[in-house]
Amino acid sequence: MVAKGARGILTQVAAAEDAGRFAHTRYAPSAVLAPFVEHYWAVTWDLRGRAPQRMETLPHPSVHMIFEPNGRSRIAGVARGKFVRMLEGKSGVFGVKFKPGGFHPFVSTPISSFTDRTVSLGDVFGADGVGLDDALMAESDDTRRVRVVETFLVGRELAPDANVARVAEMVYAVAREPGFLKVEDLVACYGVNKRTLQRLFAKYVGVSPKWVIQRYRLHEAAAQLASGDPINHATLAATLGYSDQAHYVNDFKATVGTSPAAYAEAVRTPRR
């Protein structure tokens, strides 16, 4: 199953009988870490005796701390392209999704340095990161995994930084408010000049405010296209702030890999 409210997932399970072989669960952070962590998540699958499944997502503007067997644990920066992974056999992944800007206090380095990259926990946190990976992978229960990660994160010495909450609020405003269609809308709403806004996003989020607006427009487009409701693409393009339908189609195709019409047809047609 997919966690309720999840957005950005582009592919569905290929066959109905395989749906029960997947699980996607979320866990809320403690109050002390809520300013930094959006949620913890766990994905498991059991495809033994089944064909591999190709899963595709449009990632959010968040850094993830990902724990996976066989030495694959890592810090994943914001991915500007589509994320694709083939799932096979039986396995699982546990992760921490940081709020936009929320990872910066733990590393005190521009988050843009992680964009489109994955880095080992050891490279980011040294021996402490290696120890965290070992401790978490030794657990088989998500509740205890959350406890292990929270103990590690709470133990980091964090300097107060008002920009963390400020930047997170800007990003979430773009996600929830359809009126934020260009960078100037953020400038006007938050009273910060465009250059300062760009610097804040590079340092704390890892991508530009223009990119964030574009990504959430694509999330909304994908959700509407997959809804099954009739779609007028010219109207949708205008609603999402595109100057014309051609720009909307080109933007969607460049990121998702197919045209809006073809995507709508694919996600509404059960695969067998």
Side-chain angles (χ1 to χ4, degrees):
M1 70 179 195
V2 175
K4 184 179 180 180
R7 267 205 164 193
I9 298 174
L10 298 176
T11 54
Q12 303 299 320
V13 179
E17 61 266 25
D18 286 338
R21 295 174 175 267
F22 294 85
H24 179 185
T25 312
R26 292 176 175 177
Y27 308 95
S30 63
V32 69
L33 287 173
F36 312 102
V37 173
E38 187 167 307
H39 59 254
Y40 305 100
W41 54 269
V43 175
T44 59
W45 62 91
D46 186 351
L47 291 172
R48 291 173 296 182
R50 300 280 182 169
Q53 298 278 359
R54 178 184 174 93
M55 306 302 290
E56 300 179 351
T57 64
L58 282 183
H60 294 248
S62 296
V63 173
H64 290 255
M65 182 184 290
I66 300 169
F67 299 88
E68 194 167 3
N70 303 318
R72 299 181 65 183
S73 297
R74 59 206 181 272
I75 303 295
V78 178
R80 288 179 290 194
K82 179 175 66 175
F83 175 79
V84 179
R85 172 143 180 195
M86 293 296 296
L87 303 183
E88 57 187 342
K90 180 180 180 180
S91 192
V93 183
F94 182 87
V96 184
K97 181 182 181 181
F98 289 89
K99 288 185 172 179
F103 188 61
H104 180 268
F106 296 95
V107 292
S108 298
T109 190
I111 300 304
S112 56
S113 66
F114 293 93
T115 301
D116 291 327
R117 298 179 59 217
T118 60
V119 187
S120 74
L121 273 66
D123 286 343
V124 176
F125 297 112
D128 291 345
V130 176
L132 170 63
D133 187 20
D134 291 341
L136 188 134
M137 294 310 302
E139 300 288 357
S140 58
D141 176 80
D142 284 344
T143 301
R144 290 195 291 268
R145 288 170 175 166
V146 168
R147 189 177 303 126
V148 167
V149 176
E150 291 227 331
T151 299
F152 174 84
L153 293 176
V154 171
R156 313 302 291 180
E157 294 184 4
L158 304 183
D161 189 341
N163 282 327
V164 173
R166 186 185 187 198
V167 167
E169 168 55 26
M170 292 179 184
V171 174
Y172 289 141
V174 172
R176 70 175 179 261
E177 300 292 342
F180 288 102
L181 298 176
K182 53 185 184 295
V183 176
E184 287 75 16
D185 295 329
L186 284 173
V187 169
C189 181
Y190 290 96
V192 58
N193 69 58
K194 188 173 182 178
R195 181 57 185 152
T196 299
L197 189 67
Q198 291 170 334
R199 287 197 297 264
L200 280 172
F201 272 60
K203 181 177 181 179
Y204 288 90
V205 185
V207 287
S208 70
K210 180 179 179 180
W211 184 94
V212 171
I213 292 171
Q214 179 193 55
R215 177 48 50 93
Y216 282 121
R217 288 193 300 188
L218 291 178
H219 277 189
E220 178 62 23
Q224 292 201 30
L225 292 168
S227 69
D229 297 329
I231 295 293
N232 182 306
H233 292 282
T235 301
L236 179 57
T239 300
L240 297 175
Y242 286 96
S243 58
D244 55 49
Q245 185 175 342
H247 282 88
Y248 150 72
V249 171
N250 290 338
D251 193 7
F252 192 94
K253 189 172 183 178
T255 305
V256 179
T258 187
S259 71
Y263 174 76
E265 178 63 24
V267 297
R268 296 177 192 181
T269 303
R271 291 178 293 163
R272 302 190 182 277

